[in-house]
Amino acid sequence: MVFLRTSEKAGSCFIRTDQLDGETDWKLKVAVSCTQRLPALGDLFSIRAYVYAQKPQLDIHSFEGTFTREDSDPPIHESLSIENTLWASTIVASGTVIGVVIYTGKETRSVMNTSNPKNKIGLLDLELNQLTKALFLALVVLSVVMVTLQGFAGPWYRNLFRFLLLFSYIIPISLRVNLDMGKAAYGWMIMKDENIPGTVVRTSTIPEELGRLVYLLTDKTGGAPLLPRSASTQREEQHAGTLTQNEMTFRRLHLGTVSYGADTMDEIQTHVLSSYAQVHPQTGGNNPSSTPPRRAQSSTPKVRKSVSSRVHEAVKAIALCHNVTPVYESQAGITGETESAEADQDFSDENRTYQASSPDEVALVRWTESVGLTLVSRDLTSMQLKTPGGQVLTYCILQVFPFTSESKRMGIIVRDESTAEITFYMKGADVAMSSIVQYNDWLEEECGNMAREGLRTLVVAKKALTEEQYQDFESRYSQAKLSIHDRVLKVAAVVESLERELELLCLTGVEDQLQADVRPTLEMLRNAGIKIWMLTGDKLETATCIAKSSHLVSRTQDIHIFRPVTSRGEAHLELNAFRRKHDCALVISGDSLEVCLKYYEHELVELACQCPAVVCCRCSPTQKAHMVTLLRQHTGRRTCAVGDGGNDVSMIQAADCGIGIEGKEGKQASLAADFSITQFRHVGRLLMVHGRNSYKRSAALGQFVMHRGLIISTMQAVFSSVFYFASVPLYQGFLMVGYATIYTMFPVFSLVLDQDVKPEMAILYPELYKDLTKGRSLSFKTFLIWVLISIYQGGILMFGALVLFEAEFVHVVAISFTALVLTELLMVALTIRTWHWLMVVAEFLSLGCYVASLAFLNEYFGIGRVSFGAFLDVAFITTVPFLWKVSAITVVSCLPLYVLKYLKRKLSPPSYSKLSS
């Protein structure tokens, strides 16, 4: 909506957008001045005005419109930009606001940037589908072969269908049921894991995907808990009792000869104290005529200043050069308009919070407060500092030059009320400032040192101005601001005339504190062969800084910063320059990305995939999702997206596997994700342990279920071929049902509890994860091995039964079926890598069930139809020949496999066995 009026005096207010995009710095919004100037609120309804706005569009960083008031004598036209708008799902940080709504519902930017979710299918499911298709082909071929061997005699097509039905057990219908139950079990295990509390599994279809990831796309390296916090949100968090380390902390102050770190801050405090103790008793209160003795010194800069005065100058500069406003929350609770309350507010420290558009600035001002120089009030024309001794110094703000991404610096001109000195203070990025300050030999080197520590650096400088210099500057500046053509250039030129030969005061380092264990987690994921991409909406410098401090990019690696490109030619040159570099991380901004994708999509993705790490900054939500889909299409590998804000939802939905972090940014991301975790470090365990187990178990389970169907079909085939290819069923329907369910279900399903590596091992050696991404646990090769096992076992069981029981041919069903069930149980035991007590229970339970059913279901153990009259007599089962013959068949069908497995473990052990032995 267009922002018309606010109760704040300045005619502007801050909004908090953390629920919308995860950014915690507050955005400054300005009311339309024409309506802000109206004397009372009610006058809004008495004027005639209209707003012209552009049609709804995707770009979240721009807005164009005009506000026109018709009933004033010359109609007033005002241009509207993005800073005159308030956004949906944001919070007004101070005061009250009134506006006119222009976009609603589907036209809002946030809705236009979201995409429709799609159903996700795991890679394992797709692979199993391929195998099932192969099995279906095998079924048809087998039936045709049988009919051909019959010689197409009689109604052969009828026989074809009978064979199709007889062999239909080849197709594992119970596979889906088993796998879905397995997935539910994995989800339950993940949620019950004590090491990752608060994890929620919101999908029951893709837990195996966690074991197959190659690309991990994250927002600001693991989202919420990395983000800085502004002061007032922190106040609220203290009430909520969840004070995390999500904030900027001041780490280092460097003066060229001296460097102060976290442990030496108290020295700064004593310097500040002593310098104010010297200066102020002599000023005689607030009498501006008597100048302090330091005035003489500053006019002769040849004298090397004492450390104490230099520290004092630096601290004062940091306390003055910023865009921060202290806000007091009155204890009584505000009843009327806030303006009336402001007059009688106490400047007590308890209820002061700072408001600013950037958390870095708040960190700096808090630091000056901690060393004794406190910002107590600020409005558009003046600001007041409180000294350690309790005096209040007033400074008049003459000009402010705000920070822009082009200039990378901000400046302010202030006049000290007590001495009438005019000083121009400036702070900014080292790149922008190094050319402006006087020559020195330490700035560049120290900036490099701090950047390597992952600190954000700011260079602070000043210049003393005489009254004449300032008046001259002001007249030129206001003239430039009135010009119509090239206004921006002219204003910049005037300001630059001032930005020469500044005196370098100090270099500050602020740290954006990471969430616990982000570095080891990223390290672990890198060792696991997962390539990590960071897609963030941040500025390039910030993104690079975070990438370094979180060890997303290792210390030794070069970082190639992709220069901004706008045309096809530039993109071509830049890509070529990047191609020449080896093993370096890529940092690219959203706009350049857009251009490259337009012309050189394939080349860019190919190059980026070879990088150990990629950082994309200034990405819009749609761009994030686009990158994910590109990666999936080009590499065919599995991708995972980790995010925490509403702006990551489309990325999470586009990835093969989405993980949402429940952060301060609300729950939008975690609700849209497949897995929701509470901290970034849990990703490591989720992938290494649960992803590994889910994939390995499902692969074993799937192939075992197929083997189970194949073995019985093989027996049917042998049976039919011995009996002149008669399409007669070997086992009665009830036995077939019992075989797939009660006799073998529990042991087969207990494969869900199997694990090949202990969780501690899997986390200690993330390299084990690399093997999983190759997908060797379930492939056509392993599948063929299982098919051969099935054919071998089925053949042995059936032939064994026929050979050993020539006399009692009527009993062939009972014998072969008993041997079959025993074989299945032994095969489960063969497949299992780590025993669990439930597995043993399942094995014995199934065996018990089978033995019990032999007594009850005797009429089903006859051959063919029951009318053959071959009933099973309990007496026969208990005879010795029955028992030894069954044992013999079972041993022949299983022993060779045990021997082969043992030899395989000895001759080519899998990578994990080297660790677990």
Side-chain angles (χ1 to χ4, degrees), residues 257-304:
T257 48
V258 219
S259 167
Y260 294 98
D263 40 357
T264 47
M265 290 295 179
D266 46 346
E267 290 182 34
I268 301 184
Q269 208 162 348
T270 47
H271 284 315
V272 173
L273 265 168
S274 63
S275 56
Y276 273 109
Q278 290 165 15
V279 175
H280 283 286
Q282 295 145 339
T283 50
N286 270 348
N287 183 358
S289 59
S290 55
T291 54
R294 269 186 55 256
R295 185 64 199 270
Q297 186 193 6
S298 65
S299 56
T300 54
K302 301 288 174 289
V303 185
R304 187 80 186 265

Side-chain angles (χ1 to χ4, degrees), residues 786-802:
W786 274 106
V787 170
L788 293 175
I789 291 175
S790 310
I791 293 174
Y792 164 76
Q793 287 188 332
I796 290 286
L797 288 172
M798 202 59 224
F799 276 122
L802 294 173

